[in-house]
Every structure is written in C-alpha cells, then in structure tokens.
Amino acid sequence: MKPDDTPDPPHPFPPDFVWGVATSAFQIEGGADADGKGTSIWDRFCRRPGAIADGSDARVACDHYHRWAEDLDLVAALGVDAYRFSVSWPRVRPLGRGAWNPKGLDFYERLVDGMLERGVRPYLTLNHWDLPDALQAEGGWAQRGTVHHFVDYALGVHARLGDRVAAITTHNEPWVIATLGHDSGVFAPGLRSRATAAQVSHHLLLSHGLALQALRAAGSRAKLGIVLNLSPVYPASDSEPDRTQARLEDGLLARWYLDPLFGRGYPIDVWAHLGADAPRVHDGDLAAIAAPLDFLGLNYYSRKVVSAAGAWQPGSDGLAVTDMGWEVFPRGLTELLLRLHRDYPLPPLYVMENGAAFRDAVVDGTVHDGERVAYLAAHIAAAGDALAQGVPLVGYTVWSLLDNFEWASGLAKRFGIVHVDYATQRRTWKDSGRWYRDFVHRQRALRHAGVQPVGPRGDATPAPTFDTPRRTSS
Ligand code: FCB
C-alpha cells in the first residue's frame, strides 16, 4: 500500500492531542563508554554468549550520542509535538550513586535544549532499563537500597532538566524489567527467580511512588507518571480453565501494577498465586506507590491469548504477525483503553509506544514499508475509537523514530519509521515516516481550521485536557 492510499481515521482527536515519536537511550545512543559513561546491566548482558539473538551489541547502535542534532532534525521534520527519550542513568551517574558525570548531564541538556529550539516538547523517561551495573553488583532492583538511589537520581536529573521538560516518566515497563529480567532471564540482568522478580516489581513501584513525592516536593512543573506495557488478555477458548488462566495472566501483567498505582494494593488472586514468592512490603509502601499520577502511559503492540494447556501460537487464528512474531490486532488497543477507563479512575492517558518491526530494505534510496503504514494507521484509528467513547487519551507516540537495538533481538529487528544503515549510520526515510509526517500535518491543519473533533455518532466529543485535576489520593 502506498502511504497516500491509507485513509485517515475519523477525526476524534482534539486540537491539543499530543503526537509524538519515541526512542530510548540504550537502544540508540552508542557511545558505550564515551566521556565517562558507566557500564549498565545491558552493556554487561550483551557480552553474555547467546544473550542477543544476532550476536550484536549496542556499543555504537545508532551513534545518536554523536549524531543527536541530525536526529532531532528528523524529529522536527516529522512535525510532531513531542519526543519521548530516556536518560541513561550510568551516563549521568556512572556508579548509580556518588559522583555525577558532568559531560553526561551536558549531553542531555544539549538534547533537551535542541528539542526546545526545534519546537518539540521533551518527554523524559528516567528508567528505560539501563540500570548502572555497579548497583546490580549490590543486588540491583531486588535490593531496597536501589529504590533510594533511584529517587536520588530522579532528583538530580530534575535539578538539571526539570524546568524544561514537559513530562517525566519514572519507569518504562516495570513488568518487563521484573519478569523478563529476573524470572525468565531473557533480558538483563538475566536472573531466573520468581521470588526475585516479585520483589523487583515491588521496588520498581515503590521507587516510582517515592520519586513522584520527591519530585513534587522539589517543585516539579513537569507532569509525572509511569509507563506500563499492557495487552488485553484473551482466553484461547471459553473453557473454564482457559478463562481462569487468562484472568491470572491479566493479573500478573496488568492488575499487579495498576491496582497498587490506583491505591488498591496488590490483587489478592495474584498474591495467592505467588505464595511464598510474594514480595516483602513495608508499612507505608502501598501509600507511597499510590502517589497521584499526572498521567499514565501504556505501550501497546499486540494482544495476548492464553490457554491452560500451554503456549498459544501467534497467528494461528489467521492474524498477520510482525517480524517479532507479534499478531497485528488493532482492536485490542481500543478494548484495552476501554477496559482501563472502565476499571480505573484514570488520569490523562498516553499511548507511549506503538509500532511494528518488519523486514525493511532500502531500495532506490527509500523503504516501502506499507505494512508499517497500515499498522500505524489502524492503531491510530483504534485509539481514536476509544477516545470517541470517552477514554481520556491525550497523546500517541510512535515506536520508533529510528531502527535501533531491539534488546535481546539485537539490531536485526527494525521498528523505525526512519531506516538506519548501521555500517554507514546513514538515515533514510521510510514510507511510514513520510506517512506519519503527513498525517500529523493534516491533524495540524484541522487544528488551525478550528474543526471540532467528532465522535462516531457525529456528536462533538469533549476534548480531554492535560490539565484534568489530579485524582486525590485514596
Ligand atoms: C517495548 C520497549 C521498547 C521497544 C519496544 C519494541 O517493550 O519499551 O524499548 O523495544 O518494546
């Protein structure tokens, strides 16, 4: 499909809807030990034989540490409102505590100022997985001390950049850090213990809540929140065992994080399932975790189907799958958003990541990635469906600006709307990049024309604003 053949979704998006594009530090920066950067758990994990599917590492990645200005020009050319990026903790504080690295802080200052100069709002993530290795040596996220080091790190970054960023996310996808990093061990730090993973999840949530409190006490003007990876979980059949399994999986993936964030404590069915592996929780921890959110972010890629009998084969229902083997299921995004709206007293919500890996090739100086165009258009429409039904969605951010280091899959999986040739570091626009640029441009034009957003029944949809009053603590 050519980009301009793709119809726009009906127009439910309010004028102040935030369109963005995302990356993370470890996946693009390279400069693995440039200018005094410390080692992260992902630097170490990449050296473990067999850990990265294609044997690659992120020592250079997109060399964004040196090419950041050129990359911000790409962001500016897209015409998006927001750029979601992350700070590498070991780049700014090499051992995770103690001395700060001025050159690391200078880098992010240049980056943030570069966004502002280009009219792009900085959305900063503090923890997109690259914990300083020195803290892992002391026990990492399994150790309660790391919670306090994180709060200290958050305050230090805020002191330097907090006056210029629009939003600060504490953690990206705590489920991934806890479960893939500490239970299945397929991500850094590569541990395999369910009890450790459960403790890690608690410490991540606790550090999030304490960081929010500390940042507010420090007078933060940036909006503060957290980003979860969420999927609707469907039973493979109507059988009782499949439905029970689906409920448990939803508990582990979603309710385990959402319930405590919204002041409900940990869900008792999941707690019972964990048995002796449930985390140690101190008095006051749950109140801290429930610190009011200015926003909640979610990353959506696919649905999850579970069967009590064993692993579900993605695509077995006939859905297309991406190069990651993830099913293309836009309706899942609508259903997920509606479910969140039904079950929780939501603050303003962002889709902070959405996108797809396909096998792209540069042909005649461009990349025809019609599948990615179709994926993005369908998911934006799905988000619009939820918005039109009252979900307080305020923004949508594409994963990713650039092809980059896709964690344990290495450099082989390409999510970018801009192609990166790793041998030459040449950036090449894909059709999806041009499509997203034009789409955002058309949204802008509607804004300027003062066109009212319209819901599915043709009625004007009330525009949720970012300044929705904070939920009072419960
Ligand atoms: C998410 C991560 C992001 C990227 C996408 C594909 O889980 O947050 O860094 O790797 O998946």
Side-chain angles (χ1 to χ4, degrees), residues 175 179-180 229-236 242 245-254 300-307 312-314 317 319 326-327 329 332-333 335-336:
W175 179 91
T179 305
L180 301 188
N229 53 299
L230 296 174
S231 294
V233 183
Y234 303 99
D242 282 0
Q245 188 64 26
R247 168 134 186 98
L248 175 63
E249 294 284 344
D250 174 71
L252 289 161
L253 178 70
Y300 176 80
Y301 290 92
S302 189
R303 66 173 180 173
K304 207 168 173 177
V305 180
V306 298
S307 145
W312 161 263
Q313 187 52 45
D317 266 359
L319 293 180
W326 300 347
E327 292 177 324
F329 193 65
L333 178 56
E335 291 181 3
L336 172 64

Side-chain angles (χ1 to χ4, degrees), residues 175 178-179 182-183 193-203 205 248-249 251-253 255-257 260 265-281:
W175 179 91
T179 305
H182 298 80
D183 187 355
S193 154
R194 190 176 74 161
T196 305
Q199 194 62 50
V200 164
S201 67
H202 178 63
H203 287 158
L205 285 167
L248 175 63
E249 294 284 344
L252 289 161
L253 178 70
R255 288 182 289 116
W256 183 258
Y257 296 91
Y266 287 110
I268 46 173
D269 59 330
V270 182
W271 188 275
H273 165 78
L274 290 173
D277 290 343
R280 286 179 308 282
V281 175

Side-chain angles (χ1 to χ4, degrees), residues 24 27 128-129 172-173 299 301 326 353 399 406-407 415:
S24 86
Q27 293 176 275
H128 203 124
W129 307 354
N172 177 69
E173 302 190 344
N299 297 344
Y301 290 92
W326 300 347
E353 286 181 27
W399 184 269
E406 178 46 37
W407 309 110
F415 275 89

Side-chain angles (χ1 to χ4, degrees), residues 7 21 23 63 83 86 112 119 132 154-155 168 175 187 212 218 225 242 292 337 349 376 381-382 421:
V21 67
T23 61
D63 196 31
Y83 176 51
S86 78
V112 165
L155 285 170
I168 298 177
W175 179 91
F187 277 14
L212 254 56
D242 282 0
L337 290 166
L349 206 62
L376 294 175
D421 177 334

